[in-house]
Amino acid sequence: MQIIAFTTEDTNWESPRMGIILSDGHRDTGYRLDCERLFESEYRPANPLSWFDMDGRWFQKALETYEALVKDHQALTRANEEGWLIRSEDAYWFAPVPRPGKLICIGLNYRDHAAESNMPIPERPVVFSKFASAVIAPGEPVVLPATSEKVDYEAELAVVIGRRAKNVSAARALDYVLGYTCFNDVSARDFQFADGQWQRGKSCDTFAPMGQTVVTADEVPDPHKLSIKLILNGRTMQDSNTDQLIFGVPELIEFLSQTITLEPGDVSRPALRRAWGSRASRRGFYLLF
């Protein structure tokens, strides 16, 4: 299942709503399930991140409806009549998690990156964060700060949490994962190293492109066997695989949840992959998975 966040003209392009891409198992039907419309307005969640809670009634209702629609063509027709569906071309897509509760990142987490940088393998995860206000939708422009002379790009795997996780063991960690998405960890390197800490250089406005969709965990048998590439203006700048991760998804969830409560809608970016090139082009970023 692929989850999106979107808005439409008939709502005056207002706040993002959770949607699900409808597929018949082989192809995209061209319709998106508008999960908000499954509930009367007074019964919709006050917190948009509640849609990402796999144990919550909103997510469960959305999942049950989606499963019914992909199995029954007549149910799809009835859903369209009920106004639950929108056409893909009528939707403006946001990042699939437009404002994560927490955006947690891990530095120097690729074996090949450590080797090519002549740096030792970290003994424990190197943790930093980005402000959620840096998140933008796929296709939106990355705005380079006027005072920065060295902006880099880094293609990443991002993990979206779907259950409240505290003191979770690695053996159980994947049960807390809703799904995965693409992420571009944009960095102002001159800010990052001049400041003596990473927050400002990592969190400039537009420095966290994400999406297009959250692919649910049931469709990703092994998050440690995924190709990661970054293509900039037709040129492949990065080409690696998540089998190079030093600390995998289960180990990171165990490590982080010992001291930080992970919550539905939190996004963890477990991979830091070196960006090749000294300065990002102003023409834009293209992040492929």
Side-chain angles (χ1 to χ4, degrees), residues 140-207:
E140 290 187 337
V142 173
V143 179
L144 306 187
T147 54
S148 175
E149 293 298 326
K150 192 173 182 182
V151 176
D152 279 342
Y153 37 78
E154 295 170 311
E156 312 288 5
L157 168 70
V159 180
V160 181
I161 297 297
R163 289 190 171 95
R164 188 178 186 275
K166 181 66 175 177
N167 293 321
V168 173
S169 68
R172 298 177 53 232
L174 293 182
D175 294 338
Y176 292 79
V177 173
L178 169 62
Y180 306 91
T181 191
C182 301
F183 192 87
N184 190 344
D185 177 19
V186 186
S187 307
R189 296 297 187 198
D190 39 5
F191 294 174
Q192 179 181 348
F193 297 120
D195 289 355
Q197 50 80 33
W198 295 6
Q199 193 70 63
R200 183 171 71 112
K202 292 287 188 177
S203 297
C204 299
D205 292 344
T206 75
F207 272 25

Side-chain angles (χ1 to χ4, degrees), residues 39 86 95 99 122 134 144 162 174 185 199 203 208 210 235 269:
F39 298 89
I86 62 164
R99 282 294 180 269
L144 306 187
L174 293 182
D185 177 19
Q199 193 70 63
S203 297
M210 185 191 304
R235 180 185 175 192
R269 187 201 58 77

Side-chain angles (χ1 to χ4, degrees), residues 49 52 97 100-104 159-162 260-268:
L49 293 177
F52 300 97
V97 189
K102 290 186 283 294
L103 191 46
I104 304 172
V159 180
V160 181
I161 297 297
I260 302 169
T261 299
L262 304 178
E263 299 171 303
D266 286 349
V267 175
S268 177

